[in-house]
Amino acid sequence: MAKTFSIRRQRGFTTIAMACFFALYLPIAVLVFYSFNAGESLASFDGISFRWFTKAFQNQQVIDASIRSLQIASFAAVVATIAATMAALATTRTEPYRGLTVKYAFINQPLMIPEIVTAVALLIFFARVKIWTGYSGLGYLIAAHTAFCIPFAYLPIRARLENMDLTLEKAAADLYATPWNTFRYVTLPLLWPGILAGFMLAFVISLDDVVITEFVKSAGQDTLPTYMLGQIRRSITPEMNAISTLFLLLSVCVVTVFFIVNRKRV
């Protein structure tokens, strides 16, 4: 009997894997640990305290930046998920034809281009639009985040569609169901975990974006990541650790909710 190959039994693999996990998670653990520091120094731990969390919740700039981040991420994720769903349906529920690969590449192009290039391009474009319209609200940030998040939402939705069995959809068509009814009662319930995954991925990507936001935003439109970047340029305090810990907690909650919902549906 031929021996099965297992990468876990390769010499040194466990050591490399553990080193990678330590490199990834040890700095995060240190950040969370020092967010409960009672003192102001980042070099010494002076006891456990929720002082910096309280200070963060009482900081009006942090509150305003957090609300703005959630508003932008929510709108951008919703619009990006809707656009990604339509694009995924258009590129998977059709017979292969010349140019389909070009459409795949066009939709995924923002993933291939360096983010700084996208940010500069959006800055130039929106600067011209601002001159023409005189409008300088949050619409530009929402539009920029939406465009950037579409390929991130598209990938899990398309993957879900490609792995779905077409038997039920064909059966609905044989029973004279209209395309809309087939989508509503058959495709959408089966596709829902992929849509939820795309939405959450787009939401998280928008929520922690810095480069595009820094280039597109106008005065007084700081999101929480850009606010933190500005504060770190001046001085690093345990308050930044507390805000980062809350950000991490939010991300963990989003992933946990997705895991629970997806497991129930599967």
Side-chain angles (χ1 to χ4, degrees), residues 39-66:
E40 298 185 0
S41 173
L42 295 177
S44 61
F45 189 78
D46 300 325
I48 297 177
S49 172
F50 290 92
R51 166 190 177 188
W52 299 107
F53 290 93
T54 303
K55 188 174 181 180
F57 280 116
Q58 293 174 347
N59 190 330
Q60 191 60 43
Q61 289 181 311
V62 173
I63 295 173
D64 293 341
S66 300

Side-chain angles (χ1 to χ4, degrees), residues 112-187:
M112 312 300 174
I113 299 176
E115 191 174 353
I116 186 66
V117 176
T118 304
V120 173
L122 290 171
L123 170 65
I124 296 171
F125 176 74
F126 287 139
R128 182 61 62 181
V129 175
K130 288 179 183 179
I131 295 175
W132 289 341
T133 63
Y135 172 75
S136 58
L138 286 179
Y140 299 110
L141 276 175
I142 294 174
H145 281 223
T146 299
F148 183 67
C149 290
I150 286 176
F152 291 96
Y154 173 78
L155 291 177
I157 296 173
R158 176 190 165 189
R160 181 74 179 182
L161 280 170
E162 289 180 338
N163 292 327
M164 283 170 51
D165 190 358
L166 295 177
T167 304
L168 294 177
E169 295 180 16
K170 292 179 179 178
D174 290 339
L175 295 174
Y176 304 103
T178 63
W180 167 248
N181 285 333
T182 301
F183 172 76
R184 181 181 178 183
Y185 295 108
V186 179
T187 307

Side-chain angles (χ1 to χ4, degrees), residues 188-203:
L188 185 59
L190 295 174
L191 182 58
W192 184 247
I195 294 176
L196 184 60
F199 172 81
M200 290 188 173
L201 184 57
F203 181 83

